[in-house]
């Protein structure tokens, strides 16, 4: 499942530089995650680094983009194939 940054984001700038896929960027008000690029760090790390560094735990699985490990792996291969 791609990840989602909730509206209680404090724009601390911790998540964006941690994303190996460059899926995180600053949106209109808060940081946003591009679901087409988010692999939950599969292929890079054991766990999503954005979740790991978020000081307020506002990054959650995106219910609008349900994906299993195999589809995340296919996305990784498409990005880096």
């Amino acid at each position: 499942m791609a990840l989602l940054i909730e509206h209680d984001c404090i724009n601390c700038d911790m998540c964006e530089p941690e994303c190996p896929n460059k899926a995180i960027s600053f949106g209109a008000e808060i940081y946003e995650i591009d679901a087409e690029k988010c692999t939950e760090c599969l292929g890079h790390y054991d766990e999503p680094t954005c979740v790991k560094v978020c000081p307020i735990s506002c990054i959650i699985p995106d219910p609008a983009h349900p994906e299993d490990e195999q589809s995340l792996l296919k996305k990784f291969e498409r990005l880096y194939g």
Side-chain angles (χ1 to χ4, degrees):
M1 186 173 285
L3 298 173
L4 169 75
I5 298 174
E6 296 181 297
H7 289 286
D8 55 341
C9 172
I10 59 172
N11 297 323
C12 68
D13 302 319
M14 295 294 292
C15 61
E16 188 269 335
E18 292 296 323
C19 182
N21 298 330
K22 300 189 184 336
I24 301 174
S25 61
F26 194 74
E29 296 178 24
I30 61 170
Y31 280 93
E32 298 176 349
I33 298 176
D34 181 347
E36 294 298 313
K37 294 180 180 178
C38 179
T39 63
E40 295 186 31
C41 292
L42 185 73
H44 295 282
Y45 305 111
D46 293 334
E47 62 185 296
T49 56
C50 61
V51 173
K52 194 173 177 179
V53 300
C54 181
I56 63 166
S57 303
C58 71
I59 303 173
I60 62 167
D62 186 347
H65 296 96
E67 298 174 293
D68 59 15
E69 189 172 319
Q70 187 166 9
S71 59
L72 291 171
L73 184 57
K74 285 182 182 179
K75 191 187 306 185
F76 173 82
E77 290 170 355
R78 187 185 79 238
L79 292 169
Y80 296 96

